[in-house]
Structures are given as C-alpha cells and as structure tokens.
Amino acid sequence: AAWALFSGDWTALAFAGIMLTLAVLGQKLKSIHLQVQYGILGLLALYRVVAVNLHSEVPQYTHVRTRLITLPIVAAAFYVTAKWAATREDNANQRTFRGLFAFAGTVLITALIYYEVPELWQPLAAIVFAMLLLEVGQQIGYPVLAWHTHLLGGLAVLAAVTADPSGAQRWHDIPLHAFAALPVVAGAYWIARRIRVPNPAHVRLGRIAYSWAGTGMMVWVLNEAVPAPWIAVSWIIFAVVLALVMRRIGYRQLGWQANAVAACSLVRAYTFNLELEQPFWQGISLRLVTISLVAAGLYFLSRQSTTPDSESRRAVSYLHTFAATALLAFLAWHEAPSGWLAAVW
C-alpha cells in the first residue's frame, strides 16, 4: 500500500513512517517478529533513498528541494527507531541492532552534506554535525554516537584538506580553503575537551587524537595562508601559544605538540629561510629577522614546553637550546662578514 500510495521521493518516507510505527509497537509488545519486520522496512527505506532520494544523477552542490526535505526526515526516523528498538534483553545483538539504525541516520545526514553543501562549507558542516552527535550522545547517555563523531571528524579533516586543492578561490592572496579549515581546528579542540564516555581509555585516546588533529590542521592552515618566508615564524609562534596553553590547563599532550610544531619550524627555517636573500628593511635581511624569531621561540620553549615535574624536561630543554644556537650559528655564517665570523661566533 505504501508503494502504491506514495510515489517518487515520498515512498522512502512512507517506509520510514511504517518502520517507526512498528518499532514503537515492538517495544511495547516486546515482539521479536515486529523487530524483524521493521528491520526489513529499514532496509527497504535505505534502498529507496539510495535509488531515488539521493538524486545522484544531479551534479553535486545542486540544491534539490525534495532531497533537502526527505533525507532529514528519514534520518530522524532512523534515529528515533534506534531509541525504540531497545528490548528487555540488553545483549550484544540488541545493541548492534540499535546501532545500525543510528548509523543509518548518520549516514543519511552525511550524504545530505556531501550532495547539498558547497565544497568550501563542507568542513564546517561536517565538524558541526560531529560536535552535535557528541553532545546529543552524552545528553541521552548513548555513547555509541561518539564513534559517529569520530567518523564525521575524520571526514571533516578530509574535506578540509581536499577542498579546492588548486587554491583557485582566494581572498587577497590567501586561499579560501585555509579559512574553511579553521572550524575543523576549533571543532577538534572542542571535541577533545568535551568527550565523555564510560570507557576511560576511549576518553584518553580520543583527547589525544583530537588535540593532535587540531594542531596538525592548524599547522596546515598556516602553511597555506602565510607567505612562504614567514611560515617558520608562524609555526614557532603557534608552538609558543600551545606551550602557554599547556602551562595554563596542565594538559601535557599540548607540550609535545608544541615540541613537534617547533621541530617543523626548525626544519623549515634550516631548509628555506637560511637561503633567503630578500631585504626586510634598510640593511636588514629577511633571513636575519625570520631566523632570529625562530631561534627566540626555541629558546622560550626550552623552558616552557614541558611541565615542571616532567622527567624529560632537561632533555627537551637541551634539544631546544642546541637547535636555537645551531640555527644562530648558521645565520652568522650567512650574514657576518668573513673577517668577523669568528668574533660573532
């Protein structure tokens, strides 16, 4: 009857509505037969969405009115069905059965983002959806949604680094995909701070992964947005900011991230900035300014990039000071007149 009465894009909605109705009845009656039936209807609804409602024949980023209407409704039906799919037998099979309905809802919203949202806005849409899933999962006590957050977080990072890869769209000299990645940076740090699940190991690994993802994305953003001679300087400034935040909140991973970013800045300064010949101001070269700033940042990090009780504090301090001194020695080699080189050293 649903197939006959509802045509086109509305067939999937009819299937989803019947599925949800049977899920409510199945939960009230504790009937395994009804559970099988609305499971089959869920498969039919998904098939219909893929075959019709996605309108994959239409070019990507083209707004299709019926897709905008039907996909969120069907996704909501799957999420609500996941809630009503619970039975008295809270075993692994039942949890998996519920999880499949919730996952279907997430996949449908993700597909909607993929087809409807413009390329440079997809990272924002994906990371906001990831944050929403995390918060809702914590509010309703359904930690499975945290795994959906991880999936959407990974897709947000992928969307950010692949959007407009040629950098053709620009604001002044800055590619717009650098701006598009900033919400992913903020979202990753937010998720690292907010993640709460019953498994402590999951929380610890999640915080590590998201904080490193946020830091990595920010390094990429600076690499894309900052003029080439100043990339190393921007990285060392970011490393200093990470170290200061680590000192304030006491999260040691930020210290290690500061050290990693500082290492990237050091390599960049050695391989690129030491070869700069452009003048910065009268009698002062761009090489002198940028290398000096990187070295100053390294000296600062030698005292600030670890917690006071860290066992590796002395080793990290030695590495930073050695790197900074070596960088200044190479700078003197390039900048000082040959007769004064020994005196400068």
Side-chain angles (χ1 to χ4, degrees):
W3 189 282
L5 293 174
F6 299 91
S7 60
D9 293 76
W10 308 105
T11 306
L13 259 67
F15 286 160
I18 298 171
M19 172 191 72
L20 181 56
T21 303
L22 291 178
V24 174
L25 290 174
Q27 207 277 339
K28 298 293 185 183
L29 302 175
K30 309 301 179 185
S31 172
I32 190 66
H33 301 291
L34 287 176
Q35 198 173 59
V36 172
Q37 291 171 33
Y38 67 75
I40 294 172
L41 277 167
L43 291 174
L44 290 174
L46 282 177
Y47 169 76
R48 187 69 180 179
V49 166
V50 172
V52 178
N53 295 63
L54 284 182
H55 294 283
S56 54
E57 74 282 356
V58 178
Q60 196 179 4
Y61 319 130
T62 302
H63 296 307
V64 179
R65 183 169 177 269
T66 52
R67 181 168 62 196
L68 279 168
I69 295 172
T70 58
L71 257 63
I73 296 174
V74 175
F78 273 99
Y79 282 129
V80 177
T81 301
K83 179 183 185 304
W84 287 101
T87 64
R88 290 178 181 174
E89 298 180 8
D90 186 23
N91 54 39
N93 291 333
Q94 289 296 321
R95 288 193 295 270
T96 301
F97 187 69
R98 292 184 65 195
L100 289 174
F101 282 100
F103 182 70
T106 298
V107 168
L108 291 177
I109 299 298
T110 305
L112 183 67
I113 292 172
Y114 176 78
Y115 283 108
E116 289 285 341
V117 179
E119 183 181 31
L120 289 172
W121 290 94
Q122 285 188 358
L124 171 63
I127 198 65
V128 168
F129 185 36
M131 294 163 64
L132 180 63
L133 287 171
L134 180 71
E135 295 295 336
V136 171
Q138 292 177 170
Q139 287 295 322
I140 67 175
Y142 190 50
V144 171
L145 290 182
W147 292 101
H148 299 198
T149 295
H150 303 335
L151 173 64
L152 266 296
L155 291 176
V157 170
L158 180 63
V161 299
T162 58
D164 187 25
S166 63
Q169 303 180 64
R170 290 179 172 267
W171 180 73
H172 296 286
D173 291 328
I174 304 174
L176 290 182
H177 62 218
F179 292 109
L182 288 176
V184 180
V185 176
Y189 285 131
W190 174 267
I191 294 172
R193 178 178 179 272
R194 291 286 298 168
I195 187 169
R196 301 283 191 280
V197 291
N199 187 348
H202 186 173
V203 174
R204 181 176 60 83
L205 291 175
R207 285 177 174 168
I208 292 173
Y210 280 105
S211 62
W212 276 94
T215 297
M217 283 300 302
M218 191 63 200
V219 169
W220 181 83
V221 167
L222 293 172
N223 183 69
E224 294 292 308
V226 176
W230 296 95
I231 291 176
V233 176
S234 69
W235 284 351
I236 200 66
I237 293 173
F238 179 46
V240 169
V241 170
L242 286 173
L244 292 175
V245 173
M246 181 272 296
R247 284 276 178 163
R248 182 173 180 82
I249 68 175
Y251 185 53
R252 297 190 180 191
Q253 285 297 320
L254 292 180
W256 292 112
Q257 292 164 30
N259 292 330
V261 176
C264 293
S265 178
L266 173 65
V267 172
R268 173 77 181 183
Y270 179 77
T271 59
F272 183 83
N273 292 69
L274 279 175
E275 305 303 323
L276 291 175
E277 300 292 342
Q278 299 98 308
F280 175 74
W281 197 56
Q282 298 179 2
I284 302 175
S285 69
L286 194 57
R287 173 173 53 207
L288 176 63
V289 174
T290 56
I291 294 295
S292 298
L293 290 173
V294 172
L298 290 170
Y299 281 127
F300 179 85
L301 290 172
S302 69
R303 301 292 299 273
Q304 300 294 329
S305 65
T306 56
T307 55
D309 59 341
S310 174
E311 296 179 357
S312 58
R313 184 181 184 185
R314 179 172 296 180
V316 171
S317 178
Y318 285 160
L319 287 173
H320 280 299
T321 54
F322 180 82
T325 302
L327 204 56
L328 291 176
F330 281 115
L331 176 64
W333 176 272
H334 285 85
E335 291 286 336
S338 56
W340 289 90
L341 182 58
V344 172
W345 280 352

